[in-house]
RNA sequence: GGGCCUUUAGCUCAGUUGGUUAGAGCGCGCCUCUGAUAAGGGCGAGGUCUCAGGUUCGAGCCCUGAAAGGCCCA
């Protein structure tokens, strides 16, 4: 016996039961142990931060992460999937700051970094239980017991080891990074803070002459809205492919000068009557031209004041020549690094000019703007000054205009590896493919050095110590090294601030005291180090690391292209000259039902628990897999998930429930030692099933999630709504013949195979089916579907022509139904004949082979082809453009015309017979093949017809008294069955029926007495007034009246 | 401003190397089937395939440009 299955499914109850089963049998760990010794499949978990609640987007990522480890396990791979937690960084600090009511960094220092970091350590796991609960509930199998944690000393030590490696290769250096900075608050602002403070602002707009050194009388015309940055100018940037012109500009005081600017901006700068163009050139021709500096307040340590090229140069505004002050612009700084330009720092951290900038020393830079403009004017360097309105960021706290301001920081010289990063990226398999050369590839080929330093508290400290006296620096790569240098055992030292800051080393150069530099490192370096640091490599676990590097598969959302995807790739490239992941699925964002991004402020966040509690984790997962290609953003609402349950889960469930119900009634058991007597429907289903196994397997091998899921939906639909619908009678009939055995065997095979195909994607329902269908009869079978081997496609069962035949039969059935509808003949009324017109002789044979099936489906007594001679009233020809167009190209219109002018009935006869016709085109004769023309037919009067392309269904709708009687009998059966249901009888209960009917119906009832009794499982059928104790009902139909009573026999 | 993605029915999405009549599901209306079904079937309403050019015998698909939306970066 199978466990009885109700057609009603309580999804959450079922899933929770499965969860308990997995837990009590420790299935997850068994799935890993079982495959020990098998080939390794490596999955890396991109560590989430547990200081916020998990949301739908986390379910998305976790759902996609889960598929392949499960699939590969079933394929025999050993997949240890270690979890991980990202614990450092600003988000954690901000939460703690909020809790403490802090608004700036000095409060943290007053409070004590020690205590502050302890709170951060706790806060990092505020929602750990939420995460564990959700991870568990959605059946993301990841090993959280052994999860790596980025704040552990061992983890940090490996990160130090990596940094030391970079240090020794000369890749770690100190430079400047331009950040949005509030001069009043004295602090840089994060992107998030900057975004809050954009406003329209009016700034100066000045055009300045920069006279060329080697071409007297010629100046570059340069535009800026921040005159205060001009004293820090070191270069002018031009666009390589921008068209520039040299113009002859008349001076008001007489004479003329030459100015260089972008051609596109001539009119914007000078108006319609712009000066005469005397020369044209591309930006790259300007490269290297030297000009006289506007100011010389600061000494230059490197060559400066020449034209460089920058891809950020546009011709929207200004002159197309961009003034470069590396200290005050991010683009400017990148150019400075690229061209090795000096960086002139003219401004103090409070926003005032340094004393070296003599005329304006101590003045706030924005207030100095007018003075600088006047100075330039006095020296004849100003062409024009005006104002310019644009959006500009202000401090959200104090409304001071922000300055872009260079702060000293540490960099990793990743740009040195730019080409290698790109090369290695070519070895990575990206989904969707465009990320590889698009968003990620572009990012790599424009790689700039990684700004590593952070002036914060909770994170991995930069292990660089600097000598107080000689400024020499050392990088420390392990605790052991630190102990040795410090001259004491530091193995118990917490490597976080402030403890590590207290460690002083002796300078190797001068014997002075070395202190650690104040910076932490970018938290992204932590997670990017994860392939190495999770194992505390190379201090231990050398084998594990080797075995688990690189990853076969990682999966995160698209926002990680410049996050984790990049840091993983950059670190492994610099460290090992190798990739760290082979296949990656890059997910799109989740939007709400209206296509808006989910955000706390919009209050449109969908709580995953709401969805899970209502429709279950399987349905949620399935929706995420099937809704759209993985890389695409997807709308999400719980209504859409509910649709999955209704259309897919319940269809599958009810097929399963049907099977179990009848298998139990018949005492059917799975047997494997004999080949069932399959009928054509069985063969078709098995052909589809094994094609499905083949296709789903191939899709999973290719990381094609859509291809691994949508075909299953189609199959389940056909299984339920065609195979089962057409096979029901085979299960109903009493006894146990070979045909019935074949039906059971086929349906059973389909359901068991489906449970395995669904195991990676819908792990719960897969398990539920498997337990009842397999485990209940085979105690020796694996404990769980997730411990099973992946099914193999039986190539011999796959028969493509069978699939084509059946889809023709379905199409004809559909046409038959349409014809019935048009004739207003309901299906319950049997009809004498249905005739079909077909496209070829071959198709006529298919019709004959499936005549029984169609007769049953359409409730007609006889199925046959439409006779060409007497019944087809008219033919028309449809020249098929695909075939003919490809064959004849531009001659197609003429060929088509010739075919349409050919006598249609003559052509039809030949073509339907499989013979070609000859038509004359442009004086030549062409042979047109049957497969190149579709023959359409119209039936003569007297049929109810429906057609579709070459196919036509024609019904004979005239009714004989016998047909009418049979129709009535079926009506009666229908009503008795309804009554059985409402009376609450079991499917197999036998009944006694009493019928009181008007004469016509009573006569029909007598004629079809056996049929009625067989259909309704009636042991007795009597005529007369129903007894009092019986369930009874009265009804009127087709002009007849009836009262039915029934009682359980 | 740059890069990438998206735009097909009221909604969610398919749409093969370009083929003339652009599909499915949900929702809506009418009809129908049913002792597995929360379902199924048929018919209908609902489309300027975002727009404009171009290539082609033929464009939802290819090319160019534009618009709108999204993400990332400035």
């Amino acid at each position: 016996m199978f466990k009885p299955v109700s057609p009603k499914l309580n999804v959450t109850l079922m899933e929770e039961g499965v969860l308990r089963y997995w837990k009590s049998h420790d299935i997850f760990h068994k799935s890993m142990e079982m495959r020990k010794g098998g080939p390794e499949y490596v999955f890396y978990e991109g560590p989430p931060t547990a200081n916020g609640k998990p949301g739908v987007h986390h379910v998305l990522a976790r759902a996609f992460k889960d598929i392949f480890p499960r699939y590969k396990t079933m394929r025999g791979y050993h997949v240890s999937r270690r979890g991980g937690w990202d614990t450092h960084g600003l988000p954690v600090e901000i939460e703690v700051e909020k809790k403490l009511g802090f608004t700036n960094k000095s409060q943290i220092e007053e409070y004590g970094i020690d205590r502050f970091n302890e709170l951060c350590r706790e806060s990092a796991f505020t929602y750990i239980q939420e995460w564990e609960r959700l991870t568990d509930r959605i059946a993301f199998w990841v090993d959280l017991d052994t999860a790596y944690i980025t704040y552990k000393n061992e983890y940090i030590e490996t990160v130090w080891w990596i940094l030391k490696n970079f240090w020794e290769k000369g890749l770690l250096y100190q430079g400047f990074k331009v950040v949005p900075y509030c001069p009043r608050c004295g602090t840089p602002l994060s992107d998030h803070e900057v975004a809050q403070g954009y406003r329209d602002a009016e700034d100066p707009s000045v055009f300045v002459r920069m006279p060329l050194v080697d071409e007297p009388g010629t100046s570059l015309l340069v535009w800026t809205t921040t005159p205060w940055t001009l004293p820090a100018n070191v270069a002018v940037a031009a666009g390589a492919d921008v068209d520039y012109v040299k113009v002859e500009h008349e001076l008001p005081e007489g004479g003329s000068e030459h100015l260089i600017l972008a051609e596109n901006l001539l009119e914007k700068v000078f108006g319609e009557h712009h000066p005469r163009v005397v020369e044209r050139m591309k930006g790259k021709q300007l490269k290297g031209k030297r000009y006289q500096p506007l100011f010389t307040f600061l000494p230059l340590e490197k060559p400066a004041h020449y034209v460089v090229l920058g891809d950020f140069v546009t011709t929207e505004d200004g002159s197309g020549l961009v003034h470069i002050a590396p200290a005050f612009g991010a683009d400017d700084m990148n150019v400075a690094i690229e061209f090795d330009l000096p960086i002139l720092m003219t401004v103090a951290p409070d926003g005032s000019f340094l004393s070296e900038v003599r005329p304006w020393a101590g003045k706030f830079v924005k207030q100095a703007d007018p003075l600088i403009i006047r100075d330039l004017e006095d020296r004849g360097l100003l062409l024009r000054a005006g104002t310019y309105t644009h959006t500009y960021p202000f401090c959200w706290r104090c409304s001071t205009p922000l300055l872009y301001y260079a702060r000293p920081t540490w960099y990793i010289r990743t740009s040195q590896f730019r080409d290698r990063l790109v090369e290695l990226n070519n070895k990575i398999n990206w989904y969707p493919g465009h990320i590889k050369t698009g968003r990620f590839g572009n990012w790599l080929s424009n790689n700039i050095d990684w700004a590593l330093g952070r002036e914060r508290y909770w994170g991995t400290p930069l292990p660089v110590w600097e000598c107080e006296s000689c400024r020499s620096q050392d990088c420390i790569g392990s605790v052991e090294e630190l102990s040795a240098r410090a001259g004491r055992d530091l193995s118990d030292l917490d490597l976080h601030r402030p403890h590590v800051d207290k460690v002083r080393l002796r300078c190797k150069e001068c014997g002075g005291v070395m202190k650690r530099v104040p910076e932490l490192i970018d938290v992204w370096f932590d997670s990017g180090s994860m392939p190495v640091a999770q194992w505390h490599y190379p201090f231990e676990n050398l084998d594990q690391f080797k075995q688990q590097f690189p990853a076969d598969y990682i999966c995160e959302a698209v926002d990680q292209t410049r996050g984790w995807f990049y840091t993983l790739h950059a670190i492994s490239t610099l460290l090992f000259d190798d990739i760290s992941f082979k296949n990656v699925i890059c997910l799109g964002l989740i939007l709400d039902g209206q296509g808006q991004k989910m955000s706390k402020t919009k209050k449109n966040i969908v709580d995953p628990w709401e969805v899970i509690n209502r429709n279950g984790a399987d349905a949620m997962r399935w929706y995420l897999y099937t809704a759209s290609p993985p890389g695409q953003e997807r709308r999400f609402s719980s209504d859409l998930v509910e649709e999955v349950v209704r259309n897919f889960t319940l269809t599958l469930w009810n097929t399963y429930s049907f099977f179990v119900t009848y298998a139990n009634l018949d005492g059917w058991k799975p047997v494997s030692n004999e080949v069932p007597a399959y009928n054509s429907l069985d063969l078709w289903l098995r052909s589809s099933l094994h094609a499905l196994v083949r296709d789903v397997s191939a899709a999973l091998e290719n990381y094609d999630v859509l291809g691994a899921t949508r075909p299953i939906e189609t199959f389940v639909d056909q299984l339920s709504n065609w195979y089962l619908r057409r096979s029901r009678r085979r299960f109903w009939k009493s006894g146990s013949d070979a045909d019935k055995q074949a039906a059971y065997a086929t349906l059973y095979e389909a359901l068991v195979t489906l449970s395995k195909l669904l195991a990676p994607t819908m792990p719960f329902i897969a398990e539920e089916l498997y337990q009842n269908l397999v485990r209940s009869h085979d105690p020796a079978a694996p404990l769980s579907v997730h411990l099973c081997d992946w099914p193999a496609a039986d190539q011999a069962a796959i028969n493509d022509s069978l699939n084509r035949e059946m889809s023709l039969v379905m199409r004809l059935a559909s046409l038959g139904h349409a014809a019935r509808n048009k004739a207003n003949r309901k299906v319950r009324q049997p009809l004498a004949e249905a005739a079909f017109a077909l496209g070829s002789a071959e198709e006529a044979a298919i019709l004959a082979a499936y005549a029984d099936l169609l007769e049953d489906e359409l409730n007609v007594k006889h199925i046959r082809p439409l006779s060409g001679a007497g019944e087809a009233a008219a033919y028309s020809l449809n020249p098929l453009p695909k075939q003919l167009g490809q064959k004849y190209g531009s001659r197609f219109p003429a060929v088509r015309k010739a075919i349409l002018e050919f006598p249609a009935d003559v052509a039809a006869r030949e073509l339907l017979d499989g013979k070609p016709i000859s038509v004359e085109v442009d004086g030549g004769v062409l042979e047109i093949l049957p497969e190149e023309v579709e023959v359409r037919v119209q039936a003569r009067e007297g049929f109810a017809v429906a057609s579709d392309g070459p196919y036509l269904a024609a019904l004979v709708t005239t009714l004989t008294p016998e047909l009418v009687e049979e129709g009535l009998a079926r009506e009666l059966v229908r009503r008795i069955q309804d009554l059985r249901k409402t009376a609450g009888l079991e499917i197999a209960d036998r009944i006694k029926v009493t019928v009181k009917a008007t004469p016509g119906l009573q006569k029909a009832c007598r004629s079809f007495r056996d049929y009625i009794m067989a259909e309704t499982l009636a042991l007795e059928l009597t005529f007369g007034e129903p007894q009092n104790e019986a369930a009874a009902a009265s009804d009127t139909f087709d002009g007849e009246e009836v009262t039915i009573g029934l009682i359980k026999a």
Side-chain angles (χ1 to χ4, degrees), chain A residues 670-675:
Chain A
V671 280
S672 52
N673 52 357
E674 51 191 271
V675 178

Side-chain angles (χ1 to χ4, degrees), chain A residues 45 48-55 58-59 62 85 126-137 144:
Chain A
E45 159 79 332
T49 317
N51 81 322
K53 279 192 191 180
H58 296 110
V59 176
R62 285 167 124 61
W85 299 106
T126 309
Y127 292 103
I128 183 91
Q129 283 176 339
E130 276 288 310
W131 277 89
E132 285 172 349
R133 203 160 64 91
L134 187 69
T135 302
D136 184 61
R137 183 60 185 83
L144 292 180

Side-chain angles (χ1 to χ4, degrees), chain A residues 236-544:
Chain A
V236 167
D241 296 315
V242 174
D243 293 305
Y244 291 89
V245 287
K246 185 190 280 184
V247 295
E248 180 156 358
H249 177 236
E250 307 291 333
L251 294 165
E253 63 268 29
S256 68
E257 62 172 340
H258 287 158
L259 295 173
I260 296 174
L261 72 162
E263 184 170 21
N264 281 349
L265 287 158
L266 259 180
E267 288 195 11
K268 252 191 173 165
V269 175
F270 294 103
E272 235 171 276
H273 304 289
H274 57 75
R276 194 169 61 88
V277 172
V278 296
E279 196 182 333
R280 288 169 202 281
M281 64 215 92
K282 286 282 184 189
K284 45 191 154 210
Q285 293 166 261
L286 292 170
K287 187 184 171 187
K289 284 191 192 291
R290 292 184 299 129
Y291 61 89
Q292 291 164 15
L294 298 175
F295 301 99
T296 51
F297 298 123
L298 292 166
L300 297 169
E301 55 200 28
K302 298 171 186 171
H305 302 112
Y306 57 90
V307 178
V308 298
L309 298 178
D311 55 10
F312 53 87
V313 176
T314 68
T315 55
E316 294 286 312
D317 283 303
S319 64
L321 290 170
V322 177
H323 139 67
I324 298 293
F328 306 115
D331 280 335
D332 309 50
M333 180 61 82
N334 293 335
V335 167
I337 291 170
E338 189 177 343
F339 290 89
D340 196 27
L341 292 162
I343 295 158
L344 301 184
M345 180 46 83
T346 52
V347 176
D350 67 356
S352 68
F353 275 113
L354 294 172
S355 59
E356 287 92 331
V357 188
R358 288 179 307 276
W360 311 298
K363 226 171 182 42
F364 183 61
V365 291
K366 289 259 174 192
Q367 285 164 359
D369 275 345
L371 307 175
I372 295 169
I373 293 169
R374 195 174 316 146
D375 176 81
L376 292 168
E377 193 170 14
D378 291 347
R379 295 198 278 140
L381 296 171
L382 182 78
L383 178 78
R384 175 133 50 79
T387 56
Y388 181 77
T389 307
H390 58 158
T391 357
Y392 194 83
F394 291 75
C395 178
W396 62 275
R397 222 180 274 128
C398 67
S399 294
T400 306
L402 300 180
L403 306 182
Y404 286 91
Y405 188 77
R407 308 267 298 173
T409 190
W410 290 83
Y411 281 93
I412 300 174
R413 214 178 292 279
T414 51
S415 59
Q416 189 178 312
F417 293 81
R418 189 179 295 161
D419 295 344
R420 193 60 188 148
L421 287 166
V422 172
E423 269 170 41
L424 286 171
N425 180 41
N426 288 332
K427 291 167 70 177
I428 299 171
N429 189 19
W430 283 87
Y431 293 88
H434 63 77
I435 304 275
K436 179 179 192 155
T437 51
R439 188 177 280 211
F440 194 68
N442 286 339
W443 167 247
L444 293 179
S445 50
N446 295 315
N447 184 271
I448 53 167
D449 288 346
W450 183 349
L452 185 71
R454 295 289 184 275
E455 298 170 61
R456 297 297 312 187
Y457 305 97
W458 175 240
T460 300
L462 183 71
V464 172
W465 270 257
E466 189 177 83
C467 176
E468 286 187 315
S469 27
C470 77
R471 296 287 145 204
S472 76
Q473 293 172 334
D474 267 329
C475 182
I476 301 299
S478 69
V479 175
E480 196 186 332
E481 184 185 354
L482 188 66
S483 300
R485 290 290 303 273
R488 59 192 167 105
D489 180 15
L490 294 171
S491 34
D492 289 331
L493 178 76
D494 178 353
L495 298 183
H496 287 96
R497 296 187 70 188
H499 316 286
V500 72
D501 297 339
K502 292 175 189 150
V503 178
R504 303 290 150 92
L505 311 180
R506 180 149 315 275
C507 178
K508 281 177 174 169
E509 304 295 324
C510 70
V513 176
M514 299 185 98
K515 288 169 74 175
R516 197 187 72 82
V517 298
E519 283 93 346
L520 302 180
I521 62 165
D522 181 4
V523 64
W524 286 105
F525 198 94
D526 283 0
S527 49
S529 305
M530 155 272 157
V532 194
Q534 67 167 333
W535 300 111
H536 193 209
Y537 180 90
F539 304 101
E540 54 182 322
N541 298 322
L542 273 65
D543 291 342
Q544 274 96 328

Side-chain angles (χ1 to χ4, degrees), chain A residues 804-840:
Chain A
R804 277 198 304 278
E805 286 173 20
M806 195 57 84
S807 62
L808 174 65
V809 172
M810 289 183 201
R811 201 163 165 190
L812 297 179
S814 168
L815 276 178
H817 283 297
R820 263 188 176 278
N821 240 296
K822 283 186 185 159
N824 206 9
R825 290 281 190 256
K826 55 191 176 186
V827 179
R828 229 174 275 151
Q829 175 59 58
L831 296 178
E833 259 187 336
F836 289 92
L838 298 151
S840 67

Side-chain angles (χ1 to χ4, degrees), chain A residues 975 979 996 1025-1026 1032-1037 1040-1045:
Chain A
R975 278 156 183 81
L979 192 55
K996 176 170 177 280
E1025 200 73 44
S1034 298
D1035 204 356
T1036 309
F1037 55 86
E1040 305 281 348
E1041 278 175 44
V1042 68
T1043 302
I1044 308 161

Side-chain angles (χ1 to χ4, degrees), chain A residues 32 47 125 140 229 249 335 374 400 410 431 454-455 591 601 700 733 774 791 880:
Chain A
M32 292 190 288
F125 284 125
F140 172 39
T229 60
H249 177 236
V335 167
R374 195 174 316 146
T400 306
W410 290 83
Y431 293 88
R454 295 289 184 275
E455 298 170 61
L591 307 174
T601 48
L700 287 171
K733 63 190 172 191
V774 179
L880 293 170

